[in-house]
């Protein structure tokens, strides 16, 4: 993972603009999420957060070697879940879901609590460095991810300790979120680009602030979204 030195707000904004112009496969998802958090706190030393992400990846890799399970998707998922949720104690914050800290990757790492999309970014980061195919899905209202290895793929819920989601589970969740008449379509399984995931993360912050009638505090969040995607409407990103 590339080091992010303590830097100025302008440096961070220049980097976010650069990221927004990259092809999808070249975006470092977790790094950019840290940059978004750093935009309002440019003096924060990011090395501890980088080291934490690297440490979790090393721990998951070590488990795969120790258990000789690195050649199966089941073994990889078990290793990531063990490290992320058991060893480091990450959880979905269902008690204070709308807390702004749940969409700020600094605070998510500090508190070990977060929204589905924030926890999903951590999960995707580890999975990709273990050479898995790993994408966020365009599922509305609750961020899900898909991890693949060796020709096998599985949909997971990062908010609920990496639980596997069958089509029946997804259909039930969709109806709970969008109404009893909602039905699964191919769109719900479509992969989100990393840029869309980052916009979704920021959109959660924006919506929380607007619901709290803090439009002045929501403005910097919108600005950060425009730095990444100046030609995209910020209202189009899916929440959660």
């Amino acid at each position: 993972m590339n080091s992010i030195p303590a830097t100025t707000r302008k440096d961070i904004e220049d980097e976010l603009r650069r990221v927004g112009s990259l092809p999808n496969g070249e975006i470092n998802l977790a790094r950019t999420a840290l940059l978004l958090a750093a935009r309002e706190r440019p003096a924060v030393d990011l090395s501890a957060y980088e080291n934490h992400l690297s440490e979790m990846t090393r721990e998951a890799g070590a488990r795969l070697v120790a258990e000789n399970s690195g050649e199966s998707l089941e073994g990889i998922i078990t290793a990531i879940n063990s490290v992320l949720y058991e060893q480091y104690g990450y959880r979905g914050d269902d008690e204070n879901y709308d807390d702004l800290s749940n969409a700020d990757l600094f605070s998510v790492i500090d508190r070990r609590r977060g929204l589905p999309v924030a926890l999903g970014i951590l999960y995707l980061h580890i999975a990709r460095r273990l050479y898995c195919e790993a994408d966020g899905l365009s599922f509305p209202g609750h961020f899900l991810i898909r991890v693949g290895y060796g020709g096998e793929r599985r949909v997971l819920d990062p908010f609920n300790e990496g639980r596997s989601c069958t089509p029946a589970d997804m259909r039930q969740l969709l109806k709970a979120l969008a109404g009893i008449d909602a039905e699964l379509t191919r769109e719900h399984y479509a992969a989100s680009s990393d840029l869309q995931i980052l916009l979704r993360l920021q959109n959660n912050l924006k919506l929380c602030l607007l619901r709290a009638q803090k439009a002045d505090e929501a403005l910097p969040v919108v600005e950060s979204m425009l730095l990444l995607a100046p030609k995209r409407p910020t209202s189009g990103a899916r929440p959660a």
Side-chain angles (χ1 to χ4, degrees):
M1 187 173 184
N2 294 334
S3 177
I4 313 171
T7 187
T8 68
R9 182 181 175 117
K10 181 181 183 302
D11 291 334
I12 291 169
E13 291 177 348
D14 288 344
E15 178 69 5
L16 289 172
R17 289 189 188 95
R18 188 189 69 82
V19 169
S21 68
L22 291 174
N24 183 58
E26 296 182 16
I27 293 176
N28 186 322
L29 184 61
R31 179 177 189 270
T32 308
L34 287 173
L35 283 171
L36 288 167
R39 183 170 177 259
E40 297 304 314
R41 287 171 281 175
V44 171
D45 182 358
L46 299 176
S47 61
Y49 297 96
E50 292 183 281
N51 291 340
H52 175 67
L53 295 175
S54 297
E55 183 179 347
M56 289 196 295
T57 302
R58 285 195 300 271
E59 292 282 356
R63 286 176 184 256
L64 291 176
V65 172
E67 298 170 13
N68 196 28
S69 57
E71 295 304 315
S72 74
L73 180 61
E74 180 65 34
I76 293 170
I77 291 172
T78 297
I80 297 174
N81 288 353
S82 296
V83 169
L84 193 60
Y85 302 109
E86 295 177 18
Q87 182 175 347
Y88 287 94
Y90 280 93
R91 293 290 183 274
D93 193 350
D94 49 10
E95 294 182 2
N96 301 289
Y97 192 87
D98 287 334
D99 190 322
L100 295 175
S101 300
N102 287 327
D104 178 298
L105 206 60
F106 283 168
S107 298
V108 170
I109 291 173
D110 290 340
R111 298 167 58 246
R112 305 292 200 263
R113 295 292 183 273
L115 290 175
V117 64
L119 297 177
I121 287 172
L122 298 179
Y123 206 112
L124 292 171
H125 176 82
I126 298 171
R128 288 172 178 177
R129 275 149 185 78
L130 296 178
Y131 304 103
C132 289
E133 300 173 21
D135 296 295
L137 298 186
S138 297
F139 190 87
H142 189 97
F143 188 69
L144 300 174
I145 65 173
R146 181 171 54 224
V147 176
Y149 187 83
E152 184 182 358
R153 297 196 298 179
R154 192 176 301 177
V155 176
L156 306 175
D157 183 352
F159 190 75
N160 289 296
E161 300 182 30
R163 178 176 63 87
S164 294
C165 290
T166 66
D169 295 329
M170 293 176 66
R171 183 172 181 268
Q172 182 178 2
L173 179 59
L174 179 65
K175 288 181 178 294
L177 292 167
I180 194 66
D181 294 329
E183 293 293 346
L184 279 177
T185 68
R186 294 179 64 181
E187 177 187 355
H188 298 127
Y189 288 93
S192 293
S193 70
D194 285 352
L195 191 58
Q196 288 171 327
I197 294 171
L198 293 163
L199 292 175
R200 186 165 176 163
L201 177 71
Q202 293 303 96
N203 198 49
N204 278 283
L205 283 172
K206 182 190 75 174
L207 292 176
C208 287
L209 288 165
L210 292 177
R211 281 195 292 266
Q213 298 184 336
K214 296 180 178 179
D216 55 333
E217 295 180 34
L219 182 58
V221 179
V222 173
E223 290 172 349
S224 70
M225 296 169 77
L226 290 172
L227 288 170
L228 282 172
K231 296 182 181 180
R232 296 192 185 196
T234 59
S235 60
R238 295 183 187 275

